[in-house]
Amino acid sequence: MKKAQIIGTDVTGKPVTRAQFNAMQKEVARLKEENEILKIAAVLLGEHRK
């Protein structure tokens, strides 16, 4: 079994592994995409109410 490679620490000083970092990057990308969708929806709803 491979030992998890620690690549840094979080703001509280806890170690972060490569797998955790990759998972966080995917989550950030997903949240950015959802945010863009919500922005578009807000514009469309704003236009609909005029």
Side-chain angles (χ1 to χ4, degrees):
M1 181 193 273
K2 264 189 183 178
K3 185 177 178 183
Q5 179 187 4
I6 296 173
I7 60 168
T9 57
D10 66 10
V11 294
T12 64
K14 294 180 184 176
V16 175
T17 65
R18 172 65 62 189
Q20 290 170 322
F21 179 76
N22 290 342
M24 286 187 273
Q25 282 187 314
K26 286 180 184 179
E27 179 71 5
V28 167
R30 184 185 66 80
L31 291 170
K32 284 182 178 180
E33 185 176 350
E34 287 180 8
N35 194 32
E36 288 303 313
I37 292 168
L38 290 171
K39 284 179 186 178
I40 293 168
V43 169
L44 292 173
L45 287 173
E47 291 174 2
H48 178 70
R49 293 180 185 243
K50 287 182 181 178

